[in-house]
Amino acid sequence: MDRIEQKINKLRKLLKGMGSVVVACSGGIDSSFLLKVAGDELGEGAVSATALSEVYIKDDYRLVKKLVRRLGVRQIDFRINLLGTKDFFSNSSNRCYFCKKEMFGELRKIAKAEKVNYIVDGTNQDDILEFRPGRKAIKELGIMTPLVEAGFNKKDIRLLSRKMGLSGWERPSSTCLATRVPCGEEINLRKLKMIEQGERFIKGLISEDLRLRHCQGDIAGIEVSRSDAKRLMNPRLKNRVEARLKKIGYNQISINVKI
């Protein structure tokens, strides 16, 4: 039995032992993979739940809806008001903690109402190596992280997702729109809408693998790969992007190569 087979067997055993779970599904590959395996093991005992907020990318939510239709898993949507939470919109380095606390607090209410045993999150082994304040809330609220327990990293998840035929297995990792605003600068609805509109437009022209940072003074900082940066520097394409972003509300753009 090879390493990856041992991991998937352990994951299946863990989920089976839980009896019933609510999967916090964002539309990213980690939670999508977890939902797929949970659905296979638990059937109707697996429920998908997705938080709705202005800080989350609408295109990711569309992926959730497509996934649950394909898997035949029940979906629960719930709304959280992050912009009404001062600890969140003031945008300290602990912002993610307050987001996760709000989201998983609501999920605990849903799990109780649905009489589901556990809430599970798609955190993987690679995530625990990074600075992620949200993990503190996950621990405090007793959220289970079976991908970590089973030893899965991002590479494993992509490999098995591809074998299982899950769409989006190759998509770059996504983060919420609030991560595009530098720490210390207030997060508000205007900025979030500008970021989402601008990022969607540029992705439609070049690649999914980019970030649009909302810098002070309404400057759009576009982070892309070296090859995409070269494409964006083409005068015709750059002029098109600048015109669109100025219409959205940005004063200027800067193009930065991701390291």
Side-chain angles (χ1 to χ4, degrees):
M1 185 182 299
D2 64 16
R3 177 186 60 85
I4 197 75
E5 190 176 353
Q6 289 176 343
K7 291 183 180 184
I8 189 64
N9 286 343
K10 184 173 182 179
L11 178 61
R12 293 187 188 282
K13 185 177 179 180
L14 284 168
L15 290 168
K16 195 76 173 178
M18 291 180 184
S20 59
V21 299
V22 172
V23 181
C25 192
S26 65
I29 192 58
D30 300 332
S31 59
S32 297
F33 170 71
L34 181 58
L35 181 62
K36 161 66 175 167
V37 181
D40 288 348
E41 293 304 308
L42 299 172
E44 292 183 358
V47 179
S48 172
T50 304
L52 305 180
S53 170
E54 295 85 355
V55 306
Y56 300 135
I57 300 172
K58 295 182 182 66
D59 289 342
D60 289 346
Y61 176 68
R62 294 185 185 102
L63 293 175
V64 173
K65 302 298 282 187
K66 184 177 179 181
L67 176 68
V68 295
R69 283 196 299 269
R70 181 193 161 187
L71 299 181
V73 175
R74 188 158 63 95
Q75 170 71 18
I76 297 173
D77 299 332
F78 62 101
R79 182 161 291 279
I80 54 177
N81 182 23
L82 295 174
L83 293 183
T85 306
K86 184 178 179 181
D87 289 326
F88 181 86
F89 72 70
S90 62
N91 200 14
S92 70
S93 60
N94 259 0
R95 178 198 63 241
C96 291
Y97 168 78
F98 300 109
C99 173
K100 294 294 186 185
K101 187 175 181 179
E102 180 77 14
M103 182 179 74
F104 285 115
E106 290 300 313
L107 274 174
R108 288 182 68 177
K109 296 176 187 177
I110 289 171
K112 184 177 181 179
E114 296 290 326
K115 298 181 180 179
V116 174
N117 296 334
Y118 295 95
I119 302 166
V120 294
D121 168 72
T123 301
N124 66 64
Q125 287 279 359
D126 291 337
D127 295 330
I128 65 177
L129 300 176
E130 301 175 1
F131 173 67
R132 298 207 173 198
R135 290 187 61 239
K136 181 182 176 185
I138 288 173
K139 290 182 178 180
E140 288 178 354
L141 296 173
I143 310 304
M144 306 301 289
T145 54
L147 296 179
V148 173
E149 291 184 60
F152 276 91
N153 59 33
K154 180 72 79 173
K155 184 178 179 182
D156 298 328
I157 293 166
R158 290 194 188 280
L159 175 65
L160 283 178
S161 295
R162 183 181 184 183
K163 288 184 177 180
M164 292 176 177
L166 286 174
S167 61
W169 63 267
E170 77 285 16
R171 286 182 71 224
S173 296
S174 181
T175 58
C176 80
L177 297 170
T179 63
R180 317 295 201 269
V181 182
C183 283
E185 289 190 25
E186 183 180 293
I187 298 168
N188 57 45
L189 187 57
R190 171 180 170 272
K191 291 177 183 177
L192 295 175
K193 286 183 175 180
M194 289 171 66
I195 295 165
E196 185 165 30
Q197 291 173 26
E199 197 168 275
R200 182 186 292 121
F201 176 75
I202 303 168
K203 283 181 176 180
L205 294 177
I206 55 170
S207 168
E208 285 279 324
D209 190 14
L210 67 87
R211 293 281 190 276
L212 192 157
R213 306 288 183 188
H214 191 109
C215 304
Q216 193 170 28
D218 289 341
I219 298 172
I222 306 169
E223 295 182 358
V224 289
S225 67
R226 191 171 300 278
S227 59
D228 284 335
K230 289 180 179 178
R231 291 179 63 193
L232 268 179
M233 291 306 294
N234 177 284
R236 185 174 180 180
L237 185 58
K238 186 178 180 183
N239 289 340
R240 186 178 175 188
V241 170
E242 285 181 335
R244 177 59 177 167
L245 292 188
K246 285 182 178 179
K247 188 174 182 180
I248 289 170
Y250 286 105
N251 293 321
Q252 65 182 83
I253 71 170
S254 65
I255 300 171
N256 308 296
V257 175
K258 292 197 300 181
I259 299 175

